[in-house]
Amino acid sequence: MAIEFKDSKTKENLMRAFAGESQARNRYTIAAETARNQKMYAISQIFLFTADQERAHAKRFYDLLKNLSGATITIDGGYPVDHYDRVVELLQSAEHNEREEAEDVYQNFGNAAKEEGFLEVASAFFQIAKIEAVHAERFGKLANLLETNRYYECENSEEWMCLNCGNIHHGKMVPEVCPVCREERGYFIPLELAPYMEPAIYKSVSKNA
Ligand SMILES: [Fe+2]
Ligand SMILES: [Fe+2]
C-alpha cells in the first residue's frame, strides 16, 4: 500500500536524523574546543573535520524533507549528554554514538523507508551509515591510542605528521616541539590517522625528502 510522504514514518525518521546530525555537529565542535584547551590540536582538528561532515549529513536529510516546507514535524527521540573534560571520554562516547548510528539507527530508518517505498531516502540512510562506521573507527583508534599512552610514542619506529606544517616525523616518540615549525607536539597525529591524504602518498613523499 502506497504511503504518502506527509503521513509516513520516514518523514519522522528524517527529522530525527536531522536532529541527531545537528547535535553531533555541535557536540564535536564543543569537544574540539576542549581538546584545543588541552593542547591536543590534531584531535581538535579531527573533531572539527568530522563536525563538518555531520553538517553535510544534516543537510542531505533536511533536503529530503524539502517537500514539507512550512510544516512542523513533531518527534520524540533520545539524545546523549556526552559532556566530558577528558578527551579520551569524548572520543569514546563519539565512537559509541557513531557505531550506534551506523549499525542500528540508520539501518532501521533505511529499512523502514524501503518498506514505505521511499527508496532515495533509504539509500541516503544506508550510505550515511557507512560513513558513520568510518567515523566510529577513527574515534575508536584515537581513544585507544590515548588510553594506552601510545598516541605520542610506540615500541617500534612509527611515523607521525605535524598538522601545522606537514612535517613527517619518523621514530619511537614525538618530539616536544615540531623540529620544522616549532609548534607544540599536540599538532602531531599518527600518520595512518591523518585524514587529509592517502597514506601511500605521504610515504612516497617522505621517502623522497
Ligand atoms: Fe553524520
Ligand atoms: Fe559521524
Short mmCIF file of all heavy atoms in Angstrom, two decimals, residues 21 24 28 50-51 53-54 57 94 97-99 101 106 128 131-136 139, ligand 2:
data_model
loop_
_atom_site.label_atom_id
_atom_site.label_comp_id
_atom_site.label_asym_id
_atom_site.label_seq_id
_atom_site.Cartn_x
_atom_site.Cartn_y
_atom_site.Cartn_z
N GLU A 21 22.08 14.58 13.68
CA GLU A 21 23.28 15.09 12.99
C GLU A 21 23.61 16.51 13.46
O GLU A 21 24.78 16.85 13.64
CB GLU A 21 23.05 15.10 11.47
CG GLU A 21 22.85 13.73 10.85
CD GLU A 21 24.11 12.88 10.83
OE1 GLU A 21 25.21 13.44 11.00
OE2 GLU A 21 23.99 11.67 10.66
N ALA A 24 25.20 16.19 16.80
CA ALA A 24 26.56 15.63 16.69
C ALA A 24 27.53 16.73 16.26
O ALA A 24 28.63 16.87 16.78
CB ALA A 24 26.58 14.48 15.70
N TYR A 28 30.67 17.83 18.58
CA TYR A 28 32.06 17.72 18.13
C TYR A 28 32.75 19.09 18.13
O TYR A 28 33.96 19.18 18.35
CB TYR A 28 32.12 17.10 16.74
CG TYR A 28 31.67 15.65 16.71
CD1 TYR A 28 31.31 15.03 15.52
CD2 TYR A 28 31.59 14.90 17.88
CE1 TYR A 28 30.89 13.70 15.49
CE2 TYR A 28 31.16 13.58 17.86
CZ TYR A 28 30.80 12.99 16.67
OH TYR A 28 30.38 11.68 16.64
N THR A 50 35.22 16.22 11.42
CA THR A 50 34.05 15.33 11.48
C THR A 50 32.77 16.14 11.66
O THR A 50 31.73 15.81 11.06
CB THR A 50 34.23 14.31 12.63
OG1 THR A 50 35.54 13.77 12.57
CG2 THR A 50 33.21 13.18 12.53
N ALA A 51 32.84 17.20 12.45
CA ALA A 51 31.66 18.05 12.67
C ALA A 51 31.14 18.57 11.33
O ALA A 51 29.93 18.62 11.08
CB ALA A 51 32.00 19.22 13.59
N GLN A 53 31.43 17.17 8.47
CA GLN A 53 30.77 16.08 7.72
C GLN A 53 29.37 15.82 8.29
O GLN A 53 28.44 15.49 7.53
CB GLN A 53 31.64 14.82 7.75
CG GLN A 53 32.93 15.06 6.97
CD GLN A 53 33.90 13.91 7.00
OE1 GLN A 53 33.72 12.93 7.71
NE2 GLN A 53 34.96 14.04 6.24
N GLU A 54 29.20 16.00 9.60
CA GLU A 54 27.86 15.83 10.19
C GLU A 54 26.93 16.92 9.65
O GLU A 54 25.74 16.69 9.43
CB GLU A 54 27.91 15.88 11.72
CG GLU A 54 28.90 14.93 12.39
CD GLU A 54 28.76 13.46 12.03
OE1 GLU A 54 27.86 13.09 11.26
OE2 GLU A 54 29.59 12.66 12.52
N HIS A 57 25.75 15.69 6.42
CA HIS A 57 24.70 14.66 6.58
C HIS A 57 23.38 15.33 6.93
O HIS A 57 22.33 14.97 6.39
CB HIS A 57 25.07 13.68 7.70
CG HIS A 57 26.37 12.98 7.48
ND1 HIS A 57 26.98 12.22 8.46
CD2 HIS A 57 27.19 12.93 6.40
CE1 HIS A 57 28.11 11.72 7.98
NE2 HIS A 57 28.26 12.14 6.74
N ALA A 94 31.96 9.48 21.40
CA ALA A 94 31.73 9.73 19.97
C ALA A 94 31.75 8.41 19.21
O ALA A 94 30.89 8.15 18.35
CB ALA A 94 32.78 10.69 19.42
N ASN A 97 28.45 6.56 19.83
CA ASN A 97 27.30 7.14 19.12
C ASN A 97 27.36 6.87 17.62
O ASN A 97 26.34 6.59 16.98
CB ASN A 97 27.22 8.65 19.36
CG ASN A 97 27.01 8.97 20.83
OD1 ASN A 97 26.40 8.20 21.56
ND2 ASN A 97 27.52 10.11 21.27
N GLU A 98 28.55 6.98 17.07
CA GLU A 98 28.72 6.74 15.63
C GLU A 98 28.37 5.29 15.29
O GLU A 98 27.71 5.01 14.29
CB GLU A 98 30.16 7.02 15.19
CG GLU A 98 30.62 8.46 15.36
CD GLU A 98 30.13 9.38 14.24
OE1 GLU A 98 29.38 8.93 13.36
OE2 GLU A 98 30.50 10.56 14.27
N ARG A 99 28.82 4.39 16.14
CA ARG A 99 28.58 2.97 15.88
C ARG A 99 27.09 2.64 15.98
O ARG A 99 26.56 1.87 15.18
CB ARG A 99 29.39 2.12 16.87
CG ARG A 99 29.76 0.77 16.30
CD ARG A 99 30.77 0.03 17.14
NE ARG A 99 32.12 0.58 17.11
CZ ARG A 99 32.93 0.51 16.07
NH1 ARG A 99 32.54 -0.05 14.94
NH2 ARG A 99 34.15 1.02 16.14
N GLU A 101 24.64 4.70 15.37
CA GLU A 101 24.02 5.22 14.15
C GLU A 101 24.25 4.27 12.97
O GLU A 101 23.34 3.95 12.21
CB GLU A 101 24.65 6.57 13.78
CG GLU A 101 23.83 7.78 14.17
CD GLU A 101 24.55 9.09 13.85
OE1 GLU A 101 25.66 9.09 13.28
OE2 GLU A 101 23.98 10.11 14.20
N TYR A 106 20.45 3.98 11.69
CA TYR A 106 20.24 4.25 10.26
C TYR A 106 19.89 2.99 9.47
O TYR A 106 19.26 3.09 8.41
CB TYR A 106 21.47 4.97 9.66
CG TYR A 106 21.57 6.42 10.12
CD1 TYR A 106 22.70 7.18 9.84
CD2 TYR A 106 20.53 7.03 10.81
CE1 TYR A 106 22.79 8.50 10.26
CE2 TYR A 106 20.62 8.34 11.24
CZ TYR A 106 21.75 9.08 10.97
OH TYR A 106 21.84 10.38 11.39
N ILE A 128 24.92 6.95 4.41
CA ILE A 128 25.48 7.73 5.53
C ILE A 128 25.86 6.79 6.68
O ILE A 128 26.86 7.02 7.37
CB ILE A 128 24.53 8.88 5.92
CG1 ILE A 128 24.54 9.91 4.77
CG2 ILE A 128 24.93 9.54 7.24
CD1 ILE A 128 23.57 11.06 4.89
N ILE A 131 29.40 5.88 6.31
CA ILE A 131 30.34 6.94 6.71
C ILE A 131 30.46 6.98 8.23
O ILE A 131 31.56 7.15 8.77
CB ILE A 131 29.85 8.31 6.16
CG1 ILE A 131 29.77 8.25 4.63
CG2 ILE A 131 30.77 9.43 6.64
CD1 ILE A 131 29.02 9.42 4.02
N GLU A 132 29.35 6.80 8.92
CA GLU A 132 29.39 6.83 10.38
C GLU A 132 30.26 5.69 10.91
O GLU A 132 30.91 5.82 11.95
CB GLU A 132 27.99 6.75 10.99
CG GLU A 132 26.98 7.76 10.45
CD GLU A 132 27.34 9.23 10.59
OE1 GLU A 132 28.51 9.55 10.86
OE2 GLU A 132 26.44 10.07 10.42
N ALA A 133 30.29 4.58 10.19
CA ALA A 133 31.15 3.46 10.61
C ALA A 133 32.62 3.87 10.52
O ALA A 133 33.44 3.51 11.38
CB ALA A 133 30.88 2.24 9.75
N VAL A 134 32.96 4.67 9.50
CA VAL A 134 34.35 5.16 9.37
C VAL A 134 34.65 6.14 10.51
O VAL A 134 35.73 6.10 11.12
CB VAL A 134 34.56 5.84 7.99
CG1 VAL A 134 35.94 6.47 7.90
CG2 VAL A 134 34.33 4.85 6.87
N HIS A 135 33.69 7.01 10.82
CA HIS A 135 33.88 7.93 11.95
C HIS A 135 34.13 7.15 13.25
O HIS A 135 35.01 7.49 14.03
CB HIS A 135 32.64 8.81 12.14
CG HIS A 135 32.46 9.84 11.07
ND1 HIS A 135 31.35 10.66 11.00
CD2 HIS A 135 33.25 10.21 10.04
CE1 HIS A 135 31.46 11.47 9.97
NE2 HIS A 135 32.60 11.22 9.35
N ALA A 136 33.32 6.11 13.46
CA ALA A 136 33.44 5.31 14.68
C ALA A 136 34.84 4.71 14.77
O ALA A 136 35.51 4.76 15.81
CB ALA A 136 32.40 4.21 14.70
N PHE A 139 37.52 7.51 15.60
CA PHE A 139 37.44 7.95 17.00
C PHE A 139 37.92 6.83 17.94
O PHE A 139 38.61 7.09 18.93
CB PHE A 139 35.99 8.33 17.36
CG PHE A 139 35.55 9.67 16.82
CD1 PHE A 139 34.29 9.82 16.25
CD2 PHE A 139 36.36 10.80 16.92
CE1 PHE A 139 33.85 11.06 15.77
CE2 PHE A 139 35.94 12.03 16.44
CZ PHE A 139 34.69 12.17 15.86
FE FE B 2 29.52 10.72 12.15
#
